[in-house]
């Protein structure tokens, strides 16, 4: 990818014209219906640095991080709001520039300090002007967050330039060049133009999305010295013409209906080459969105149908103390418990002794009563002996009579059985 950079001034007879960016002097007038974020997005899309950064991420994605899957819109909003997506992108780039301290990069906004430290010595070689923010005892974090989105874009562009200077990036380029043909992602696709000032470029992939860029080059002369060739100035502008399918179709219609045949050819090329690729990308994106919505719906249904389960609370651990206060308290409590148990045992023994004395008295009373009852029965016995003897004799006579009657009956039964057999 070819990037325009200000060349160092050399003492020659005829100095070369200076390249300037027209977007630096532009004042963006937002419509009444546009929000500040929309105006900032439009301003970013007028900068050629944004297209350069997106192309760099497209080319070196496998070298930076396979997990880094940010869309172009997310990168734009990250530069505007300085959110977590912006931090994720910068951290992935900083990890490829030694020395690397992963702990400091992952610690909140500490990556901003690392960014300023690494870019400060290289800034005159990879960017123009002075570095907006330098490392200054933590003040650089608030300074970076207070920058304009275009200044943050300058930081990101310089970081990408520094990343390409590393050994692994150079080896990656050489390996692709030695294969005989460069990877098609190493360059933008030029669709054409009017052949003079305006050119159209098509770039992107299935992760960040596809975009149509418009390049405008203008050459002007200063009013003071129009006769001097060294006063010529090249004005370089880069605009994002289309970012979605509707915008691609609109640009294709406008260019196809234009009078110059070169621009009409560009419109036809957009319809035949660019729009089918964008349509395929948008269909794939819609399917992914529908799949995600379906998964979220299934998860929500499962959660609503499942019974609520209460998990047990976490264990509360007591803080560690390194004094003997708790040990002394434990000993005193144990001594008090033993004293209480001794007192209870003494009370129990006293109660048992009292109960035993009472039971002895009761047993003696019972013995006295039993002896008196025996004496009374002995006195009453002579009167009742005569009646008892008579009753016994009567029962004996009755039992003897019953025995004799039974024997006679048995003899009769035997006689009758013998007669029947005969």
């Amino acid at each position: 990818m070819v990037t325009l950079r200000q060349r160092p001034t050399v003492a020659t007879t005829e100095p070369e014209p200076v390249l300037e960016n027209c977007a630096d002097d532009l004042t963006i007038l937002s419509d009444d219906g546009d929000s500040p974020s929309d105006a900032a997005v439009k301003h970013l899309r007028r900068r050629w640095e944004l297209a350069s950064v997106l192309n760099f991420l497209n080319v070196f994605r496998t070298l930076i991080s396979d997990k880094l899957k940010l869309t172009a819109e997310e990168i734009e909003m990250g530069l505007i709001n300085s959110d977590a997506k912006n931090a994720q992108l910068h951290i992935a780039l900083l990890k490829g520039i030694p020395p690397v301290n992963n702990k400091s990069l992952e610690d909140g906004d500490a990556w901003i300090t690392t960014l300023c430290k690494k870019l400060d010595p290289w800034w005159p070689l990879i960017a123009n002007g002075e570095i907006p923010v330098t490392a200054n005892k933590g003040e650089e974090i608030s300074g970076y967050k207070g920058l304009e989105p275009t200044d943050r874009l300058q930081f990101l562009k310089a970081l990408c330039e520094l990343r390409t200077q590393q050994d692994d990036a150079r080896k990656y380029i050489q390996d692709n060049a030695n294969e005989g043909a460069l990877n098609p992602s190493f360059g933008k696709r030029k669709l054409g133009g009017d052949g003079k000032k305006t050119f159209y470029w098509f770039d992107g992939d299935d992760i960040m999305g596809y975009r149509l860029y418009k390049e405008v080059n203008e050459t002007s002369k200063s009013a003071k010295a129009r006769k001097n060739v060294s006063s010529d100035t090249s004005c370089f502008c880069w605009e994002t013409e289309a970012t979605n399918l509707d915008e691609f179709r609109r640009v294709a219609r406008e260019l196809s209906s234009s009078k110059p045949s070169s621009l009409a050819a560009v419109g036809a090329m957009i319809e035949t080459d660019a729009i089918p690729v964008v349509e395929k990308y948008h269909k794939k994106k819609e399917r992914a969105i529908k799949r995600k919505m379906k998964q979220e719906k299934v998860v929500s249904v499962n959660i609503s149908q499942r019974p609520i389960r209460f998990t047990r609370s976490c264990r509360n651990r007591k803080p560690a103390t390194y004094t003997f206060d708790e040990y002394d308290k434990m000993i005193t409590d144990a001594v008090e418990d033993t004293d209480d148990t001794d007192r209870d045992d003494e009370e129990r023994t006293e109660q048992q002794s009292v109960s035993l004395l009472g039971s002895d008295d009761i047993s003696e009373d019972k013995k006295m009563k039993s002896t008196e009852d025996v004496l009374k029965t002995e006195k009453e016995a002579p009167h009742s002996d005569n009646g008892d003897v008579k009753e016994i004799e009567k029962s004996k006579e009755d039992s003897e009579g019953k025995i004799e009657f039974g024997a006679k009956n048995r003899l009769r039964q035997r006689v009758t059985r013998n007669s029947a057999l005969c």
Side-chain angles (χ1 to χ4, degrees), residues 98-235:
V100 180
N101 188 355
N102 292 327
K103 292 183 179 179
S104 63
L105 290 176
E106 301 293 340
D107 187 12
D109 295 328
W111 62 270
I112 298 176
T113 304
T114 306
L115 175 68
C116 296
K117 289 180 179 178
K118 289 188 177 182
L119 290 182
D120 192 9
W122 291 89
W123 189 266
L125 301 175
I126 58 180
N128 296 326
E130 296 182 357
I131 185 170
V133 178
T134 57
N136 186 13
K137 298 180 180 179
E139 295 181 359
E140 65 276 1
I141 296 175
S142 59
Y144 178 84
K145 291 184 177 181
L147 293 175
E148 293 293 329
T150 53
D151 294 330
R152 296 197 195 104
L153 178 60
Q154 292 289 337
F155 267 97
L156 182 57
K157 176 64 172 61
L159 184 61
C160 293
E161 290 285 348
L162 183 59
R163 184 67 181 85
T164 55
Q165 302 298 325
Q166 307 307 312
D167 295 335
D168 56 347
R170 293 181 178 180
K171 186 176 182 301
Y172 181 73
I173 297 172
Q174 291 176 359
D175 292 342
N176 282 273
N178 292 333
E179 292 178 358
L182 280 174
N183 190 344
S185 62
F186 271 82
K188 298 182 181 67
R189 185 177 179 183
K190 188 175 181 179
L191 299 178
D194 60 358
K196 296 180 180 179
K197 300 178 181 179
T198 306
F199 299 95
Y200 290 89
W201 301 83
F202 178 66
D203 188 34
D205 60 358
D206 290 340
I207 296 176
M208 285 191 300
Y210 294 91
R211 295 196 168 193
L212 181 67
Y213 300 103
K214 178 182 178 181
E215 177 190 357
V216 179
N217 293 321
E218 294 181 356
T219 303
S220 61
K221 295 183 179 181
S222 62
K224 294 181 180 179
R226 291 183 179 178
K227 295 182 180 181
N228 190 0
V229 180
S230 62
S231 62
D232 293 346
T233 303
S234 296
C235 185

Side-chain angles (χ1 to χ4, degrees), residues 213-401:
Y213 300 103
K214 178 182 178 181
E215 177 190 357
V216 179
N217 293 321
E218 294 181 356
T219 303
S220 61
K221 295 183 179 181
S222 62
K224 294 181 180 179
R226 291 183 179 178
K227 295 182 180 181
N228 190 0
V229 180
S230 62
S231 62
D232 293 346
T233 303
S234 296
C235 185
F236 175 76
C237 295
W238 191 280
E239 297 180 1
T240 304
E241 288 292 309
T243 59
N244 53 45
L245 185 59
D246 295 334
E247 292 178 355
F248 270 91
R249 289 172 177 171
R250 177 183 57 80
V251 173
R253 287 195 302 268
E254 292 176 356
L255 292 176
S256 299
S257 61
S258 60
K259 293 182 179 180
S261 59
S262 58
L263 295 179
V266 173
M269 188 173 290
I270 293 173
E271 291 180 355
T272 56
D273 296 346
I275 290 179
V277 177
V278 178
E279 286 179 347
K280 185 178 179 180
Y281 165 72
H282 277 270
K283 288 180 181 179
K284 184 179 178 181
K285 191 175 180 180
E286 289 176 357
R287 287 196 298 269
I289 293 172
K290 290 180 180 178
R291 193 183 305 112
K292 185 177 180 181
M293 292 175 63
K294 187 176 180 180
Q295 291 175 355
E296 291 177 353
K297 186 177 180 181
V298 171
V299 171
S300 62
V301 170
N302 292 334
I303 292 173
S304 61
Q305 291 180 354
R306 288 178 182 175
I308 299 174
R309 296 180 180 178
F310 297 97
T311 58
R312 67 177 185 177
S313 60
C314 297
R315 183 181 300 171
N316 294 325
R317 297 183 181 274
K318 294 181 179 180
T321 57
Y322 300 96
T323 60
F324 295 97
D325 295 337
E326 293 184 357
Y327 179 75
D328 295 338
K329 184 179 180 182
M330 184 178 65
I331 295 298
T332 53
D333 293 339
V335 172
E336 290 176 357
D337 292 338
T338 53
D339 293 339
D340 294 336
T341 53
D342 293 339
R343 291 173 185 173
D344 295 336
D345 293 337
E346 291 176 357
E347 291 177 357
R348 287 177 185 174
T349 53
E350 291 177 357
Q351 291 177 358
Q352 288 178 359
S353 62
V354 172
S355 62
L356 289 172
L357 292 172
S359 62
D360 293 337
D361 296 336
I362 293 168
S363 61
E364 290 178 357
D365 293 336
K366 287 182 179 179
K367 287 180 181 180
M368 295 293 290
K369 288 180 181 179
S370 62
T371 53
E372 291 176 357
D373 293 335
V374 169
L375 293 173
K376 287 180 181 180
T377 53
E378 289 179 353
K379 291 179 181 180
E380 294 175 355
H383 299 284
S384 61
D385 288 341
N386 296 325
D388 294 336
V389 171
K390 292 180 180 179
E391 290 178 358
I392 292 168
E393 291 178 353
K394 286 183 180 180
S395 62
K396 287 181 179 180
E397 291 176 356
D398 293 336
S399 62
E400 291 176 355

